[in-house]
Amino acid sequence: MGLTLRLGGAGAFAALLLLSLSPGTATAATRHYWIAAVPVPWTIVPNGRDAINGVPYDAGRVPFETVVYRSYTRKWERQLPHAYGIQGPLIRGRVGDTILVHFKNLDNLVDHPHSMHFHGVHYPFGSDGSFIPGHSTRGANVKPGDSFTYRLVAGRDSVGVWPYHDHSPSMMESISGGLYGAVSIRGAREPAPDREFVVFLAALNDFMTIDGRAFVGNTPLFQARVGDLVQWDVLTLGDEFHTFHVHGHRWRQPGGGIVDVQTLGPAESFRIRWREDTPGTWLYHCHVESHMEQGMIGLYRVTR
Amino acid sequence: MGLTLRLGGAGAFAALLLLSLSPGTATAATRHYWIAAVPVPWTIVPNGRDAINGVPYDAGRVPFETVVYRSYTRKWERQLPHAYGIQGPLIRGRVGDTILVHFKNLDNLVDHPHSMHFHGVHYPFGSDGSFIPGHSTRGANVKPGDSFTYRLVAGRDSVGVWPYHDHSPSMMESISGGLYGAVSIRGAREPAPDREFVVFLAALNDFMTIDGRAFVGNTPLFQARVGDLVQWDVLTLGDEFHTFHVHGHRWRQPGGGIVDVQTLGPAESFRIRWREDTPGTWLYHCHVESHMEQGMIGLYRVTR
Amino acid sequence: MGLTLRLGGAGAFAALLLLSLSPGTATAATRHYWIAAVPVPWTIVPNGRDAINGVPYDAGRVPFETVVYRSYTRKWERQLPHAYGIQGPLIRGRVGDTILVHFKNLDNLVDHPHSMHFHGVHYPFGSDGSFIPGHSTRGANVKPGDSFTYRLVAGRDSVGVWPYHDHSPSMMESISGGLYGAVSIRGAREPAPDREFVVFLAALNDFMTIDGRAFVGNTPLFQARVGDLVQWDVLTLGDEFHTFHVHGHRWRQPGGGIVDVQTLGPAESFRIRWREDTPGTWLYHCHVESHMEQGMIGLYRVTR
């Protein structure tokens, strides 16, 4: 059901969008993502310790089951290898692209409804994925075993990184369990970076995590070489505000000043790019001290 | 007392201000507002429920008395109808205008002093309205039954939306009870919006409220049509930081990047404008999850 | 040990830096600072009261010992007079300058290691001052009695104010005790301000302090005259987010909008400048209400 209506709605919607798209959309693509909400075992502190402060965290080694987004081949036939992190697959697009996200709820852990709600991109109301009794459409409340296709368009005003997350009736518990991911939109003529780091800051159980892991040695070890165009995509969801810091580097905020620490609150996100010029084994971390102490810290290694 | 002094002070002050005002202030007006601090009964959750999560909040239906700012005719003879929200009247001006706010303390509920302190606009020290023993003037500590006139000037650097609030010795309890409002300044040649929404985010009793109300069905239902120039004036006071989000839309921060979520902390405020192009029944909310769960969420309906 | 290596590393590093420096670095200087971490007695509320709310704080009059940064003559022979505040000496530079900070750990209070980690400026990895087992160099873990020289360079992207702080294994307790300070970098052709105010917002014991002091009468009384070029350098460290406000004034955010309140989170910092034009005895404070109530408020007096 709904397919014709949905296409009809999207058609009218696409016409409205024309002014938002960049010139030269002739090369715009339609991209398909097959994604499911699925339980996985997860471990927050695989090595069981905070290496910097020399504190053991045995409880952090115990895996627990949680529901996350994972990528699949067409029609959810086979789960694809996952890059890294508790967050779902990185959904990529370029300005002008249509992105079809085919979502299936494979959550047999708690048998809850789920959905996908996307920031930054354009979509008709039917693809909003947010539960509002009496208003929302089927895509806001996808029951276990059911599926839904969200239709998104990357506008010129969508360039950058944005979160996506559950917005169904179970969103509060599912987001705190890791049911989120990132959308990455590149400008029509923007070059690809040489290195691309996704930094998802979030509370998880009693830890403050980066990509679902806590403490140096567990959080991602990002690597680059001098001369690389490096891209940091920084996001957060939940209740906490963070200040993202990378040692030994500075960046310009969009249209603004130069900083080496930047605040982000729940559902905010930003993209930082620089041409790497400083070798070292640098810390990156949230500069809220208690968050750093609870694990929100990692290493960034730059070699010549 | 004080009238001559005040006019004298304001005269010298006005001379200093000339460089801040836009050219073409020939049409600048003097606007008068008659405002009182007055007790009203208030109800945070009139329909007694969180419709999205299906949770009853019977305690939220019980009205309580609290002191707010309300608008009056000349010399506080008759209270004017109030637009909406717990916040006081929207004080409007254009660049170059002088705004005289005639304030009277009609608080017979707790018999406390009150005052008005304004953000964003220019004023001489005597109109600051902030209590500092040994320094502040009468307008910082207006006793029940007393009145005071604040003299404000809208400079070119005052364009946008700003909070006003009690800054008397009773400010801590009165602000948390709703004794605040918004000042809205329009540029000399800036067009008026077709739709104007004031979103005041604040904790109130055990709820997180928008304009003093909690949960969809109680918070304002904002409405617009495709093609409308829509203006959101977003403010907060108190202890909390928020991240304001509107579904299905994005906006450009002043001189900065494009976002669909924006942080604001106590006494920060911002104005967002867009030409509406996307029909739907959209959620707007604070994206701090616990705030959303405690009621800081509403609906924005766009029709063709 | 390490001197030759360090110079070698810094030499290679300086070559990489050339593109970051402004033209006309011919006048660039090498500046030396001799700084130690040293215990001092400190009092948060010398006058024992919150003058605005008329509340006594006798506990705040009791001095306690805490470790701070203080400035010395060459080879730490004699401690220099300290300007004001719990924070360490203001480290100044201009774009193109090399700044050598000679640090000695004179902490005989708790016998902990300390270090200095600098924001905003350029430095080779060996001058990062951050403890990472297996990676960091001697400057990240300076034992009592030991010393280390950090080699910093002020790039064009270093203009403004930045925090420095302990990043050794004892950083969590030492930062909350006041072991921090500010680096102030001026552009190559930027004029010096007539008045320069350093506002360091931080929790200290049970108070919210400005430069280590709480409540009007204890926090700095900043002073200026009409016509002065006034500079506010605002910083914070710790766990808290703040919103800095000055009454009766507004400023432009870098490349952004005009505000009179600005959020800053842990390790964020910003510089505000204006030409003073408004006499009065103005409040400056954090606008988070509970922080204001716990002492984060002071006076700024402008005379003709």
Side-chain angles (χ1 to χ4, degrees):
Chain A
M1 80 39 89
L3 187 68
T4 313
L5 275 173
R6 233 158 49 233
L7 285 175
F13 175 72
L16 282 168
L17 255 185
L18 282 182
L19 290 176
S20 301
L21 300 178
S22 80
T25 55
T27 61
T30 297
R31 297 164 187 263
H32 293 261
Y33 282 86
W34 299 83
I35 293 178
V38 59
V40 296
W42 190 256
T43 311
I44 298 174
V45 193
N47 75 6
R49 57 195 293 266
D50 169 0
I52 289 185
N53 294 305
V55 178
Y57 281 98
D58 291 326
R61 309 180 85 142
V62 181
F64 61 97
E65 290 282 308
T66 193
V67 177
V68 298
Y69 295 116
R70 287 295 177 261
S71 211
Y72 283 75
T73 57
R74 197 176 133 77
K75 299 203 174 178
W76 309 280
E77 286 181 349
R78 188 168 46 81
Q79 194 177 316
L80 286 165
H82 185 65
Y84 66 85
I86 197 169
Q87 70 269 18
L90 188 60
I91 296 178
R92 296 168 192 279
R94 297 195 75 153
V95 170
D97 285 353
T98 294
I99 303 169
L100 299 182
V101 181
H102 310 282
F103 171 65
K104 187 165 190 176
N105 183 347
L106 295 177
D107 173 9
N108 56 7
L109 181 68
V110 283
D111 201 45
H112 281 173
H114 294 298
S115 77
M116 297 182 78
H117 167 70
F118 303 87
H119 286 250
V121 290
H122 296 243
Y123 51 80
F125 179 63
S127 285
D128 186 53
S130 302
F131 181 66
I132 317 168
H135 297 286
S136 58
T137 55
R138 204 165 53 86
N141 195 4
V142 181
K143 302 288 162 51
D146 284 355
S147 63
F148 186 83
T149 294
Y150 304 93
R151 176 176 284 266
L152 316 172
V153 177
R156 273 186 299 176
D157 53 2
S158 305
V159 173
V161 68
W162 308 89
Y164 65 85
H165 58 87
D166 190 1
H167 216 305
S168 77
S170 70
M171 72 176 282
M172 293 302 168
E173 65 214 81
S174 68
I175 290 178
S176 67
L179 197 55
Y180 50 70
V183 179
S184 173
I185 305 297
R186 192 140 56 91
R189 287 170 194 77
E190 191 181 18
D194 299 307
R195 308 283 171 162
E196 182 184 42
F197 312 138
V198 177
V199 180
F200 225 118
L201 307 173
L204 184 59
N205 295 350
D206 294 330
F207 296 95
M208 284 290 174
T209 68
I210 300 171
D211 298 345
R213 294 258 155 73
F215 303 115
V216 162
N218 303 296
T219 52
L221 168 62
F222 295 122
Q223 306 204 53
R225 303 194 74 149
V226 169
D228 281 350
L229 178 60
V230 169
Q231 176 175 301
W232 298 79
D233 284 337
V234 188
L235 311 98
T236 188
L237 287 169
D239 273 3
E240 306 289 335
F241 288 74
H242 306 284
T243 53
F244 180 70
H245 177 45
V246 183
H247 282 222
H249 296 77
R250 292 142 308 282
W251 59 90
R252 183 176 292 279
Q253 291 181 307
I258 290 164
V259 299
D260 68 0
V261 174
Q262 189 166 338
T263 286
L264 77 167
E268 285 193 307
S269 52
F270 54 80
R271 169 167 291 174
I272 301 165
R273 279 185 165 201
W274 64 62
R275 183 68 63 181
E276 187 52 72
D277 67 355
T278 312
T281 302
W282 305 99
L283 291 168
Y284 67 92
H285 58 90
C286 175
H287 218 299
V288 175
E289 283 178 53
S290 58
H291 296 182
M292 215 175 143
E293 256 190 307
Q294 293 166 272
M296 209 169 251
I297 184 165
L299 291 182
Y300 168 49
R301 184 173 296 151
V302 181
T303 53
R304 291 194 184 280
Chain B
M1 85 30 95
L3 187 68
T4 314
L5 276 172
R6 232 155 52 229
L7 284 175
F13 175 73
L16 281 168
L17 253 185
L18 281 182
L19 290 176
S20 300
L21 300 179
S22 81
T25 54
T27 60
T30 296
R31 297 163 187 263
H32 293 262
Y33 282 85
W34 298 84
I35 293 177
V38 60
V40 297
W42 190 257
T43 311
I44 298 174
V45 194
N47 75 7
R49 57 196 293 265
D50 170 359
I52 289 184
N53 293 306
V55 178
Y57 281 98
D58 291 326
R61 310 180 83 143
V62 181
F64 61 98
E65 290 281 309
T66 192
V67 177
V68 299
Y69 295 116
R70 287 295 177 260
S71 211
Y72 284 74
T73 58
R74 198 177 132 75
K75 300 202 173 177
W76 309 280
E77 285 180 350
R78 186 169 47 81
Q79 195 177 316
L80 286 165
H82 185 63
Y84 66 84
I86 197 168
Q87 71 269 17
L90 187 60
I91 296 178
R92 296 168 193 279
R94 297 195 73 153
V95 170
D97 286 353
T98 294
I99 303 169
L100 299 182
V101 181
H102 310 284
F103 170 66
K104 188 165 191 177
N105 183 347
L106 296 176
D107 174 9
N108 57 7
L109 180 69
V110 283
D111 201 45
H112 281 172
H114 294 298
S115 77
M116 297 181 80
H117 167 68
F118 303 88
H119 287 250
V121 290
H122 296 243
Y123 51 79
F125 179 63
S127 285
D128 187 53
S130 301
F131 180 67
I132 316 168
H135 297 287
S136 58
T137 55
R138 202 166 53 86
N141 194 5
V142 182
K143 302 286 163 49
D146 284 355
S147 62
F148 187 83
T149 295
Y150 303 94
R151 176 175 285 266
L152 317 172
V153 176
R156 271 186 300 177
D157 53 0
S158 305
V159 173
V161 69
W162 309 89
Y164 65 84
H165 58 85
D166 190 0
H167 215 304
S168 78
S170 70
M171 73 177 280
M172 292 303 168
E173 64 214 80
S174 68
I175 291 178
S176 65
L179 198 54
Y180 50 71
V183 179
S184 173
I185 305 297
R186 192 139 56 91
R189 288 171 193 77
E190 191 182 17
D194 299 306
R195 307 283 171 162
E196 182 184 42
F197 311 138
V198 177
V199 180
F200 225 119
L201 307 173
L204 184 59
N205 295 351
D206 294 329
F207 295 96
M208 284 291 173
T209 68
I210 299 171
D211 298 345
R213 294 258 155 73
F215 303 114
V216 162
N218 304 294
T219 52
L221 168 62
F222 295 121
Q223 306 204 53
R225 305 194 73 150
V226 169
D228 281 350
L229 179 60
V230 170
Q231 176 175 302
W232 299 79
D233 284 338
V234 188
L235 311 98
T236 188
L237 286 168
D239 273 2
E240 306 288 334
F241 288 75
H242 306 285
T243 52
F244 180 70
H245 176 45
V246 183
H247 282 223
H249 297 76
R250 292 142 307 282
W251 59 89
R252 184 177 292 279
Q253 291 180 307
I258 290 163
V259 300
D260 67 0
V261 174
Q262 190 166 337
T263 285
L264 78 166
E268 285 193 307
S269 52
F270 54 81
R271 168 166 291 174
I272 300 165
R273 279 185 165 203
W274 64 64
R275 183 68 63 181
E276 186 53 71
D277 67 355
T278 311
T281 301
W282 305 100
L283 290 168
Y284 67 92
H285 59 91
C286 174
H287 218 299
V288 175
E289 282 179 53
S290 58
H291 296 181
M292 216 176 143
E293 255 189 308
Q294 293 167 271
M296 209 169 251
I297 184 165
L299 290 182
Y300 168 48
R301 184 172 295 151
V302 181
T303 52
R304 291 194 183 280
Chain C
M1 111 343 124
L3 188 67
T4 314
L5 275 173
R6 231 157 53 233
L7 284 175
F13 175 73
L16 281 168
L17 254 184
L18 281 182
L19 290 176
S20 301
L21 302 178
S22 80
T25 55
T27 61
T30 297
R31 297 163 187 263
H32 293 262
Y33 282 86
W34 299 84
I35 293 177
V38 59
V40 297
W42 190 256
T43 312
I44 298 174
V45 193
N47 74 6
R49 56 196 294 266
D50 169 0
I52 289 186
N53 294 305
V55 178
Y57 281 97
D58 291 326
R61 310 180 84 143
V62 181
F64 61 98
E65 290 282 308
T66 192
V67 177
V68 299
Y69 296 115
R70 288 295 178 260
S71 211
Y72 284 75
T73 57
R74 197 176 133 75
K75 299 203 174 177
W76 309 280
E77 286 180 349
R78 186 169 47 80
Q79 194 176 317
L80 287 165
H82 186 64
Y84 65 85
I86 197 168
Q87 70 269 17
L90 187 59
I91 296 178
R92 296 169 192 278
R94 298 195 74 152
V95 170
D97 286 353
T98 295
I99 304 169
L100 299 182
V101 180
H102 310 283
F103 170 66
K104 188 164 190 176
N105 183 347
L106 296 176
D107 173 9
N108 57 8
L109 180 68
V110 283
D111 200 45
H112 281 174
H114 295 298
S115 77
M116 296 183 79
H117 167 68
F118 303 87
H119 287 249
V121 290
H122 297 243
Y123 51 80
F125 179 63
S127 284
D128 187 53
S130 301
F131 181 65
I132 316 169
H135 297 286
S136 58
T137 56
R138 204 165 52 86
N141 194 4
V142 182
K143 302 287 162 51
D146 283 355
S147 62
F148 187 83
T149 295
Y150 304 94
R151 177 175 284 266
L152 317 173
V153 177
R156 272 186 300 177
D157 53 1
S158 305
V159 173
V161 68
W162 309 89
Y164 65 84
H165 58 86
D166 190 1
H167 215 305
S168 77
S170 70
M171 71 177 282
M172 293 301 169
E173 65 214 79
S174 68
I175 290 178
S176 66
L179 197 54
Y180 50 71
V183 179
S184 172
I185 305 297
R186 192 139 57 92
R189 288 171 192 77
E190 191 182 17
D194 300 306
R195 307 283 170 162
E196 182 184 42
F197 312 139
V198 176
V199 180
F200 224 119
L201 307 173
L204 185 58
N205 295 349
D206 294 330
F207 296 95
M208 283 290 174
T209 68
I210 298 171
D211 297 345
R213 294 258 155 74
F215 303 115
V216 162
N218 303 295
T219 52
L221 168 62
F222 295 122
Q223 307 204 53
R225 304 193 75 150
V226 169
D228 282 350
L229 178 61
V230 169
Q231 175 175 301
W232 298 78
D233 284 337
V234 188
L235 310 98
T236 188
L237 287 168
D239 273 3
E240 306 288 335
F241 289 75
H242 305 285
T243 53
F244 180 70
H245 177 44
V246 183
H247 282 223
H249 296 77
R250 292 142 307 283
W251 59 88
R252 183 176 293 279
Q253 292 181 306
I258 290 163
V259 300
D260 68 0
V261 174
Q262 189 166 337
T263 286
L264 79 166
E268 285 194 305
S269 52
F270 54 81
R271 169 166 290 174
I272 300 165
R273 279 185 164 203
W274 64 63
R275 183 68 62 182
E276 186 52 71
D277 67 355
T278 311
T281 300
W282 305 100
L283 291 168
Y284 67 92
H285 59 90
C286 174
H287 219 298
V288 174
E289 282 178 54
S290 58
H291 296 182
M292 216 175 143
E293 256 189 309
Q294 293 166 273
M296 208 169 254
I297 183 165
L299 290 183
Y300 168 49
R301 184 173 295 151
V302 180
T303 52
R304 292 194 183 279

